[in-house]
Amino acid sequence: MRPARDRWRTRLAVFGAACLGIAGCNTADPASPPRTDAGRFASDVAFLRQHTPVVLLGDASGGAAQVAVAPAYQGRVMTSTIGGSSAPSFGWIGRAAVESGKRQPHMNVFGGEDRFWLGPEGGQYALYFKPGDPFDLDHWQVPGPIDWDSWPVESQSPTEVRFQRRMTLVNHAASTFTIDVDRTLRLLPRDAIATLLGEPLGSAVRTVAFESSNTITNSGTAAWQPESGLVSVWILGQFIPSADTTIAIPFAPGPESTTGPIVNDAYFGKVPADRLAVTPSAVLFRGDGRYRSKIGLSPSRALSTAGSYDAAGHVLTLVQYTRPADAREYVNSMWEMQREPYKGDVINSYNDGPPAPDKPPLGPFFELETSSPALRLAPAQKYTHVHRTFHLVGPEAELDRVARAALKVSLDELKKAFPADRQ
């Protein structure tokens, strides 16, 4: 059997080949900066509305913050903005897949800042491989309910939209899961943002923040057991990369002999030293969209916050999520028959890039991902995973104070983490 990292590389190579089959897919020189022509909120919303319905969440008090939600893309948040004359757009949108309007093999790369998935991806309890299928790209398929299907709007207000969806999935071990999903997206008011971050926001700081509350219910007749497979809520956010963006994931201290490794960088092969750094309090990772790589933190290391800083745009992005202090079982998504299927990571970050020489990137984009614990739910039992996204734009002195509190690092550390020549 090939090493897991080789199978991940195969997956990425096929992604690149699939990208070539989509009209308009980004085929730019991977060494060149990511495109910026779609970096304005009004432009992104106008584009989306040409191809799919859009629900806009706006501040009822008259604020400029807005969030764009696509019901036809499983109720995902596509992008958001702080508003104003420049009106930046913070989410990465897969324009090629959106414009195509055709179902793509394996996965529809629509993008979005907050999309709902379920884990595990690989392993003997995988939800992305049929029973008996090998763990390779030819057989990998994101289940339709979380990849292609439209989710009906259950209720809506100016600042909130709710979706409900029932789905039946079969894992690699032939276990059947009937799952009811109740997903609510809400725009967060400014005073709530300061409370959640534990830091006051200066008057010069402009911000948009939203949360997804994702409740899943075991709607079947049997309890979910480890021996037949457990599932987890998996929320992924895709963001616009840049050569000036550094990702930061703070971690719990402790010796590796007892607390375990600080970071897992074995997903796609070891991350080069000029792309991954570990400070005494946080893992730093490039978010430039130029080198495919992924990292993760285990339950013994993960805290409840992660983020990134775009030094050129003065944009601090933060992610908070539900992190039960006593949870230790998290699904393992590696593409192999696993010895420890419930020793997966809690939080992940992915940086896109060319899957192979002369192959285009999937985006490019970078991701911040969070997961719930592996869920042992009895019939009718529920679990809710909350995932929040914050974007703050303003003077560095103000943002630095928030970054130190939330990410345990200064903006200066983030800006100097990697060599200035970011190739």
Side-chain angles (χ1 to χ4, degrees):
M1 180 179 289
R2 290 177 298 156
R5 62 177 178 271
D6 291 339
R7 292 194 295 282
W8 278 102
R9 287 170 179 155
T10 299
R11 168 187 173 183
L12 297 174
V14 175
F15 271 155
C19 182
L20 290 173
I22 303 176
C25 191
N26 181 15
T27 56
D29 179 351
S32 65
R35 70 182 190 182
T36 58
D37 60 334
R40 299 300 177 210
F41 186 76
S43 172
D44 282 351
V45 171
F47 167 78
L48 288 169
R49 282 179 163 162
Q50 292 175 0
H51 304 283
T52 188
V54 175
V55 173
L56 279 184
L57 304 182
D59 189 341
S61 66
Q66 288 185 293
V67 175
V69 181
Y73 302 153
Q74 305 82 54
R76 72 181 71 191
V77 173
M78 298 303 294
T79 189
S80 63
T81 188
I82 56 173
S85 57
S86 58
S89 189
F90 296 118
W92 180 83
I93 296 174
R95 289 195 167 208
V98 170
E99 195 169 27
S100 166
K102 297 179 180 179
R103 191 169 186 172
Q104 304 299 326
H106 308 300
M107 172 187 176
N108 292 276
V109 192
F110 296 128
E113 292 191 61
D114 183 312
R115 78 177 188 268
F116 178 94
W117 268 16
L118 292 165
E121 184 178 9
Q124 53 266 49
Y125 306 124
L127 296 173
Y128 300 69
F129 293 90
K130 294 179 181 178
D133 279 356
F135 300 119
D136 59 39
L137 224 298
D138 287 341
H139 295 87
W140 178 76
Q141 178 62 56
V142 182
I146 57 175
D147 179 61
W148 178 253
D149 295 358
S150 178
W151 287 23
V153 174
E154 178 66 22
S155 62
Q156 183 179 342
S157 73
T159 59
E160 183 174 301
V161 60
R162 180 184 180 191
F163 303 90
Q164 292 183 325
R165 176 65 194 247
R166 171 166 288 193
M167 59 190 70
T168 299
L169 306 176
V170 178
N171 71 9
H172 194 262
S175 301
T176 299
F177 297 84
T178 302
I179 302 171
D180 280 337
V181 180
D182 192 320
R183 172 172 164 85
T184 299
L185 301 167
R186 58 179 60 92
L187 181 69
L188 299 174
R190 187 178 178 90
D191 57 350
I193 295 171
T195 300
L196 288 166
L197 295 179
E199 285 289 320
L201 301 180
S203 59
V205 175
R206 301 172 67 194
T207 183
V208 60
F210 57 90
E211 72 175 21
S212 67
S213 178
N214 307 275
T215 299
I216 68 171
T217 302
N218 176 358
S219 297
T221 59
W224 297 348
Q225 301 286 352
E227 297 77 15
S228 53
L230 303 177
V231 302
S232 67
V233 178
W234 184 9
I235 304 298
L236 305 93
Q238 294 178 306
F239 304 98
I240 300 170
S242 81
D244 300 291
T245 296
T246 299
I247 295 156
I249 307 179
F251 62 86
E256 292 196 21
S257 58
T258 56
T259 316
I262 293 173
V263 59
N264 171 18
D265 69 344
Y267 284 91
F268 304 153
K270 188 170 181 61
V271 180
D274 65 344
R275 294 189 158 273
L276 180 66
V278 179
T279 77
S281 58
V283 176
L284 308 183
F285 185 48
R286 280 189 171 178
D288 59 359
R290 295 179 179 178
Y291 186 92
R292 287 191 185 259
S293 46
K294 183 172 181 176
I295 61 172
L297 271 65
S298 71
S300 62
R301 293 293 188 176
L303 301 178
S304 60
T305 307
S308 66
Y309 184 60
D310 173 4
H314 301 289
V315 180
L316 178 64
T317 295
L318 300 173
V319 165
Q320 289 181 346
Y321 64 103
T322 307
R323 175 71 180 93
D326 58 347
R328 288 294 177 265
E329 289 186 333
Y330 284 80
V331 300
N332 185 344
S333 282
M334 296 298 287
W335 289 20
E336 60 190 2
M337 297 300 287
Q338 302 159 357
R339 292 183 179 178
E340 298 177 310
Y342 301 114
K343 286 198 173 181
D345 291 326
V346 181
I347 187 165
N348 296 94
S349 182
Y350 167 74
N351 184 52
D352 195 30
D358 301 320
K359 297 291 186 182
L362 185 61
F365 51 80
F366 72 89
E367 288 185 322
L368 295 172
E369 313 171 4
T370 72
S371 294
S372 77
L375 299 174
R376 303 188 186 211
L377 299 184
Q381 189 175 1
K382 302 179 179 181
Y383 182 88
T384 300
H385 181 77
V386 177
H387 180 108
R388 300 186 185 100
T389 303
F390 307 79
H391 300 292
L392 296 88
V393 179
E396 285 201 334
E398 294 284 351
L399 300 183
D400 181 68
R401 176 171 48 80
V402 178
R404 288 173 182 268
L407 301 177
K408 314 304 181 188
V409 291
S410 68
L411 295 190
D412 194 54
E413 288 178 273
L414 294 176
K415 292 190 293 184
K416 295 179 179 179
F418 303 110
D421 181 18
R422 300 187 174 207
Q423 299 297 323

